[in-house]
Amino acid sequence: MAGLSVRIVKETEKLHTDPVPGITATPFEDNLRHFNVTIEGAEETPYAGGIFRLELFLPAEYPMAPPKVRFITKMYHPNINRLGLICLDILKDKWSPALQIRTVLLSIQALLAAPNPDDPLNNEAAELWKSDEAEAVRIAADYTRRFATG
Amino acid sequence: MSDSEFEYDSAGSYVYESDDGGSGDDGEGPASAASPPQRDAPVAAALPAAAAHAPAAAAAQGRRLGGPAPAPAPPLSGSASLGASDSAGSASRSRLAVVSQLYGEQGKDYRVFGPDAVRAEIAAVVRDVASVLEVAADDAEAMLLSCSWDKQRLLERFTERPEQVRAGAGLAKAGSRGAGAAEVDGPEADCPVCFASVPASEMASLACGHGACRECWGEYLSGQLRSRAAEAVEAVCMESDCSCIVPHAFVRHVGLAAARGSDPMALLTSWDRSLCRHFVEHSRRLRWCPGSGCDKAFQAVSAGRDVECESCGSAFCLGCGRGAHRPVSCSMLSSWLEKCEDESETANWIIVNTKRCPKCGVRIEKNQGCMHMKCGVCKHEFCWVCTGDWAMHGQKTGGYYACNRYTGQKTQGRGVPGSRPGKKGAGASALDKDAEENLAKAELDRYLFYYQRYSGHMRAGTFAAGQRERAQQRMAEVAAEGLAWVEVDFLEQGTEVLLACRRVLQFTYVMAYFMADGREKSLFEHLQELLEGSTEELSELLERPLEEMDRRQVVNFTRVTAKFLSQLLEGVDEGLVDGASGAGAASSAASSAASSAAAEEAAAAKPGGAKSTSPSGKRKPTDRARQRLRAAR
């Protein structure tokens, strides 16, 4: 699997020519399997107004194996831990070769809008989300203001 | 294993004749027509192995009848099975014969399958289900996969709710299109996985219709085989959230494209291997031989049964898959292992941090610096370092702390010399003094008593396993000197018997731990004692240098020890333990009488001047045991 597959080239082109609203993904020049990603927080969520940076890496087995994605921007979210690792089924056992970079990033954007505190990666945030959602939302918005703007 | 074993030959390709995954009617015709010879072939192939076992099983049967029978004469005749073949000098007699005599006494109520036989078994069950339910072979296979190859359960569930079963197995509704070439408009299509434009003929899809090019399918399936092993055969469609299962015929359909110039059968072959693994690992009645690299599968008729694999020599239990553990049952072994896990930390702490009072035997933890100890229970004063009487420590012994010098005969931390806390009588009376307070401690001591012996035999067994190789070497040496093979194979037989005895002895301590005190236990311990004594003798004999070894003596001890072993196992099988029922007591009395006969024989086996001293720790039959024996007779 030396070099870049047709699929990766085509996906990269399409991300450039037909970008998903609120999402950018550009490969780094030194490694075309390594992407610099930004996702805008959706309105009416504690992440609104923030621009979150992520990195995405396509392993050699891609698309038979899922891409590796993590947040670089500090987040307060029950399914994202301090290292920025994301708990999302399609990045693990529910991966399908028919999914793409585009669909993965859309799923992550949706995860920001709909946290799932019952399947936590950040226990502290998940517990607060369940016991006092207003406070949790306030902290998340605070994180967004401090780390994801400007 | 040679590749030929896994070749996708006539025996393997059975029901997957229709290349494009045709309907049930297409696949069924040739399969059922060809069924009788295909079914017979593996059975015939398996026969030689079974036949090889037959004489041994017959011999075992003979001994079983002769051994514990109530008549007084037969016990001695039992030795004929080992002795006769020994003098007959048949070079074909292998070590397996020895072991099958020891372990095959219940009759061979299990079957062994090689890779081909497993494939044939899969073919047979798939064919059965396909013809009964009137579905395609691949559909039958998929449904069997989804219900752990339980034919009966599948048939019942399918009769009640066919659609639910089909859906659960990842099959499309009955009557929908089959897997194979995808429906494509136009001469070319874009593969949604690799994004390449490929000729329409290259596109393939499952029953769900989600197409992808054959190369991507091949890559996907090889990836599944690499990462999921046996479970790879449960692979579903590549489309996100589609649960349509990949049928066997589809693997063949895409296999050729995936090969890219290498072995065109590679994908199908490893798929086939995964299917066999799935079949064995998920069927309740089958179990792989635990030997590393061994490809034999065992089918148990009854659970909880020790067997030895003929091809790799691993001895294991068909019930639980753990190493052979007669005479204890699988559940008893589980409780024991659980106990060991729970207690090991406590036991370690006790062994490391406490010592017994040399006078009353109570466990003492030292919590202050001075070596001058005074027992809180019996007020005995002693030295912590050597556990000797403190009164003996003073100027006349060269100062208070002279006992830190190594003299080579310290019994530090070994407790009271000669006391056996777990056994009734000695040692127990001291503990009874403060019964309630010491109950927990006594229980722990009891556990430690059995555990130490259990692990002792386990370690000795490991050592004996090492001897097996040396025995082979020695046999080669002796054979090189011009002696016939039959003249030296006594070494191997002795080692095999020794190994079996170590293993059984190890587990007899588990059994004894769980047995309630009483007549049954006394008889059991008596049999255990005889076996242990004889095993130690045999072990010592086998460790001697070859030139000092007396062949006749080794042969005799091998025979006698093997006899003690089978008596103990038979005794347990026939209800030595399960309640003191009339029949159980009678049979144990009989085997006890038999063992006394064997004991006499053992005494006779010792040549006049031969070394007959036992190792220091060896137990001699007590007077009480002798009395019991007389009563039993």
Side-chain angles (χ1 to χ4, degrees):
Chain A
M1 197 96 173
L4 226 49
S5 68
V6 177
R7 164 155 173 164
I8 295 177
V9 172
K10 286 197 177 173
E11 272 200 71
T12 311
E13 273 170 19
K14 193 151 183 236
L15 283 167
H16 182 69
T17 56
D18 178 20
V20 193
I23 295 176
T24 67
T26 16
F28 287 96
E29 275 176 20
D30 59 340
N31 185 350
L32 296 173
R33 289 177 173 275
H34 191 191
F35 288 72
N36 186 12
V37 176
T38 64
I39 296 182
E40 284 174 23
E43 290 305 315
E44 288 169 35
T45 70
Y47 308 101
I51 295 176
F52 301 90
R53 272 194 67 210
L54 299 90
E55 61 175 344
L56 180 147
F57 182 75
L58 302 175
E61 298 82 20
Y62 182 81
M64 295 307 159
K68 298 182 193 305
V69 196
R70 90 177 178 97
F71 274 91
I72 293 169
T73 306
K74 212 165 148 61
M75 298 287 289
Y76 192 79
H77 188 285
N79 308 108
I80 299 163
N81 71 6
R82 277 167 213 203
L83 297 172
L85 301 178
I86 307 162
C87 180
L88 186 62
D89 57 357
I90 59 158
L91 291 177
K92 300 187 173 79
D93 56 319
K94 286 286 165 62
W95 170 252
S96 144
L99 294 169
Q100 303 176 19
I101 299 174
R102 165 185 302 268
T103 43
V104 165
L105 296 180
L106 275 167
S107 295
I108 293 173
Q109 197 181 34
L111 184 71
L112 289 187
N116 177 12
D118 291 324
D119 188 13
L121 199 59
N122 179 346
N123 284 323
E124 207 183 299
E127 263 165 45
L128 192 60
W129 224 277
K130 282 210 264 196
S131 60
D132 185 356
E133 196 178 329
E135 175 65 5
V137 167
R138 196 193 62 74
I139 296 176
D142 186 47
Y143 268 58
T144 306
R145 193 177 46 76
R146 279 161 61 200
F147 304 112
T149 53
Chain B
M1 258 327 101
S2 69
D3 278 341
S4 64
E5 295 242 13
F6 291 107
E7 245 169 51
Y8 203 72
D9 53 16
S10 58
S13 57
Y14 37 86
V15 281
Y16 305 102
E17 295 297 323
S18 57
D19 206 352
D20 49 13
S23 71
D25 291 335
D26 290 344
E28 228 172 72
S32 50
S35 73
Q38 278 170 353
R39 200 164 191 176
D40 286 354
V43 175
L47 264 180
H53 252 263
Q61 186 67 13
R63 193 162 46 142
R64 186 189 173 84
L65 288 172
L76 281 170
S77 71
S79 62
S81 57
L82 264 168
S85 55
D86 187 61
S87 55
S90 65
S92 64
R93 199 182 134 80
S94 70
R95 68 183 191 81
L96 292 166
V98 178
V99 176
S100 65
Q101 263 174 327
L102 299 173
Y103 283 90
E105 282 159 319
Q106 290 142 303
K108 198 172 175 183
D109 58 355
Y110 61 92
R111 286 175 66 197
V112 185
F113 296 85
D116 287 335
V118 171
R119 272 195 288 270
E121 199 70 10
I122 297 173
V125 66
V126 167
R127 203 164 45 227
D128 277 4
V129 169
S131 69
V132 172
L133 300 183
E134 299 185 324
V135 294
D138 273 353
D139 289 6
E141 188 181 288
M143 288 191 282
L144 280 163
L145 272 172
S146 71
C147 60
S148 302
W149 299 93
D150 188 335
K151 192 170 94 181
Q152 237 27 62
R153 210 177 92 210
L154 170 63
L155 296 182
E156 279 164 27
R157 283 175 49 199
F158 192 87
T159 341
E160 285 168 22
R161 308 186 170 130
E163 285 310 320
Q164 203 177 325
V165 174
R166 289 186 67 88
L171 293 172
K173 286 203 165 88
S176 56
R177 60 187 300 281
E183 285 166 11
V184 179
D185 299 327
E188 285 209 334
D190 284 340
C191 169
V193 174
C194 65
F195 287 19
S197 278
V198 294
S201 60
E202 274 301 298
M203 291 293 280
S205 79
L206 304 175
C208 56
H210 297 125
C213 75
R214 295 213 293 176
E215 199 175 319
C216 283
W217 273 114
E219 214 168 288
Y220 170 69
L221 294 177
S222 336
Q224 295 278 310
L225 285 166
R226 270 195 306 274
S227 60
R228 296 175 67 192
E231 273 67 38
V233 293
E234 293 177 17
V236 294
C237 176
M238 281 200 279
E239 183 59 44
S240 179
D241 276 336
C242 178
S243 60
C244 188
I245 199 163
V246 176
H248 208 137
F250 185 76
V251 180
R252 162 174 283 209
H253 180 73
V254 301
L256 290 170
R260 284 200 207 137
S262 57
D263 178 11
M265 281 301 174
L267 184 70
L268 203 55
T269 308
S270 43
W271 186 270
D272 205 36
R273 213 175 301 165
S274 277
L275 188 69
C276 288
R277 281 188 59 178
H278 193 283
F279 179 69
V280 173
E281 284 162 27
H282 290 253
S283 310
R284 230 172 281 157
R285 285 160 63 229
L286 280 162
R287 182 180 287 290
W288 286 119
C289 167
S292 88
C294 184
D295 59 2
K296 297 284 183 289
F298 284 71
Q299 184 182 43
V301 172
S302 55
R305 163 99 170 73
D306 283 359
V307 293
E308 169 143 313
C309 176
E310 284 168 46
S311 81
C312 73
S314 318
F316 65 100
C317 169
L318 277 182
C320 62
R322 289 179 289 223
H325 58 69
R326 277 181 88 189
V328 296
S329 67
C330 301
S331 57
M332 200 184 267
L333 182 63
S334 295
S335 339
W336 171 257
L337 293 175
E338 200 178 310
K339 170 117 185 129
C340 289
E341 210 148 278
D342 290 349
E343 298 281 3
S344 60
E345 282 308 300
T346 321
N348 281 342
W349 186 90
I350 287 171
I351 288 168
V352 170
N353 294 291
T354 75
K355 282 183 188 177
R356 287 179 178 285
C357 165
K359 198 170 175 197
C360 70
V362 73
R363 286 260 173 209
I364 296 171
E365 179 198 2
K366 183 166 138 56
N367 57 4
Q368 284 184 23
C370 177
M371 295 296 170
H372 179 181
M373 303 295 289
K374 187 174 170 186
C375 174
V377 177
C378 71
K379 316 294 176 209
H380 175 63
E381 292 180 41
F382 65 97
C383 166
W384 181 257
V385 178
C386 70
T387 62
D389 195 330
W390 192 256
M392 300 304 289
H393 285 63
Q395 247 129 51
K396 54 187 168 188
T397 56
Y400 284 103
Y401 298 108
C403 46
N404 57 358
R405 284 181 211 143
Y406 182 73
T407 58
Q409 48 186 350
K410 294 268 166 68
T411 53
Q412 275 186 33
R414 300 286 299 276
V416 194
S419 95
R420 297 208 300 264
K423 210 145 157 80
K424 313 169 297 298
S429 61
L431 290 171
D432 285 346
K433 268 192 211 163
D434 232 333
E436 267 184 54
E437 202 179 278
N438 290 334
L439 202 64
K441 276 184 203 156
E443 168 54 26
L444 189 63
D445 282 339
R446 193 174 86 84
Y447 165 73
L448 287 175
F449 174 86
Y450 289 106
Y451 182 77
Q452 276 163 8
R453 278 148 189 81
Y454 164 83
S455 64
H457 280 294
M458 183 156 57
R459 262 173 272 148
T462 317
F463 182 70
Q467 269 184 317
R468 185 188 261 171
E469 250 170 60
R470 264 187 297 150
Q472 308 247 8
Q473 258 173 22
R474 282 169 154 192
M475 285 168 74
E477 279 169 33
V478 179
E481 284 168 23
L483 280 166
W485 192 250
V486 58
E487 297 286 314
V488 290
D489 80 340
F490 73 93
L491 264 179
E492 193 172 27
Q493 289 188 19
T495 315
E496 288 305 323
V497 168
L498 178 62
L499 267 171
C501 288
R502 288 286 183 212
R503 194 161 58 212
V504 169
L505 279 169
Q506 180 190 340
F507 292 107
T508 56
Y509 282 103
V510 178
M511 186 135 201
Y513 174 80
F514 286 110
M515 278 168 94
D517 283 347
R519 193 173 141 75
E520 299 294 305
K521 185 166 181 175
S522 306
L523 286 166
F524 179 76
E525 281 182 336
H526 176 64
L527 292 174
Q528 181 189 41
E529 197 170 304
L530 289 172
L531 177 60
E532 196 167 40
S534 185
T535 303
E536 295 304 339
E537 295 271 7
L538 179 64
S539 176
E540 208 175 319
L541 285 175
L542 285 168
E543 278 167 32
R544 285 192 195 171
L546 202 54
E547 50 280 10
E548 286 176 32
M549 207 178 269
D550 179 347
R551 178 176 175 273
R552 225 176 54 88
Q553 206 181 353
V554 174
V555 168
N556 279 338
F557 263 100
T558 304
R559 196 176 69 205
V560 167
T561 311
K563 198 162 168 192
F564 282 142
L565 178 63
S566 61
Q567 270 159 5
L568 185 134
L569 293 176
E570 278 168 15
V572 172
D573 284 346
E574 284 165 23
L576 184 72
V577 196
D578 296 335
S581 67
S587 78
S588 48
S591 46
S592 180
S595 65
S596 76
E600 279 159 26
E601 202 186 330
K606 285 178 199 162
K611 184 184 171 194
S612 63
T613 50
S614 50
S616 54
K618 210 195 111 192
R619 283 184 277 156
K620 292 280 177 202
T622 60
D623 285 334
R624 280 181 62 195
R626 286 204 192 94
Q627 270 173 1
R628 274 204 307 276
L629 272 179
R630 258 176 241 132
R633 269 188 249 183

